[in-house]
Amino acid sequence: MGGAVVTRLINGRHVPKTLADAIIGEKGVRATGERIVYANGGFNLLGYIVQHAHKRPFEELVRERVLEPLGMSASFFGADPGEKPGIATPYGKGFGGSAGRKPAGNSKVWATPAGGLMTSADELARFGEWSSTAATWTAPA
C-alpha cells in the first residue's frame, strides 16, 4: 500500500483530513496469500473498519479499551508532545513523516492507526508486555 503522499499524487487529492481520506486509493501490492509485505496503510484500513463498525472515533476506542486499562495515562494521539514529560519527541519532515534531525513540530496526524500514538518509554514497555500476553488478557466490555 502506498502512503498518504503517494495517494495524493496518484489521485490528485488534497492532504488527508480524515482517516477515511487516508485510506482512499490505497491498493495492496501483493495478492492475498502471497508473500507478506509490511504496510502501514493496512493499519489505517483496519482502524477505519473498527471505527466504522463501532460508530466511534478510532482514538476514543483505543483510549477506552487499551490505554486506560493498561494505565497508559500519558499516551495520546497527535504529533506534538508539548510539555508532557517523558513523551518522545517526533522527528521528521512533518507531513511526509520521513526521518530527520529536527523535531517534526505541530501537525495533525489523521492516519493515527499507522503511527499516531505518542507515548513514553515506560508506557511503551507496558504496552509491549501486554501485547506479548494479549492472548490471555480480557478486554473490557
Side-chain angles (χ1 to χ4, degrees), residues 49-107:
I49 291 168
V50 168
Q51 174 176 289
H52 187 72
H54 289 274
K55 297 179 177 39
R56 292 176 54 202
F58 170 81
E59 298 84 0
E60 185 180 296
L61 290 163
V62 171
R63 172 150 304 287
E64 178 185 294
R65 297 182 180 216
V66 178
L67 303 179
E68 287 175 1
L70 292 175
M72 295 176 67
S73 59
S75 299
F76 65 98
F77 288 95
D80 180 17
E83 297 298 318
K84 295 191 176 198
I87 299 296
T89 300
Y91 285 79
K93 298 176 183 173
F95 174 70
S98 345
R101 295 181 183 195
K102 296 181 181 178
N106 299 343
S107 64

Side-chain angles (χ1 to χ4, degrees), residues 53 59 69-70 108 112 123-124 129:
E59 298 84 0
L70 292 175
K108 173 62 179 157
T112 56
E123 291 192 5
L124 181 59
E129 183 179 357

Side-chain angles (χ1 to χ4, degrees), residues 6-48:
V6 173
T7 300
R8 180 177 170 215
L9 292 172
I10 292 171
N11 295 341
R13 297 178 326 119
H14 297 288
V15 174
K17 299 285 187 211
T18 66
L19 181 53
D21 290 345
I23 65 167
I24 291 173
E26 293 281 354
K27 293 181 175 55
V29 295
R30 302 256 191 267
T32 303
E34 287 187 11
R35 189 177 121 219
I36 295 173
V37 175
Y38 179 84
N40 267 0
F43 289 101
N44 286 335
L45 179 58
L46 178 60
Y48 177 78

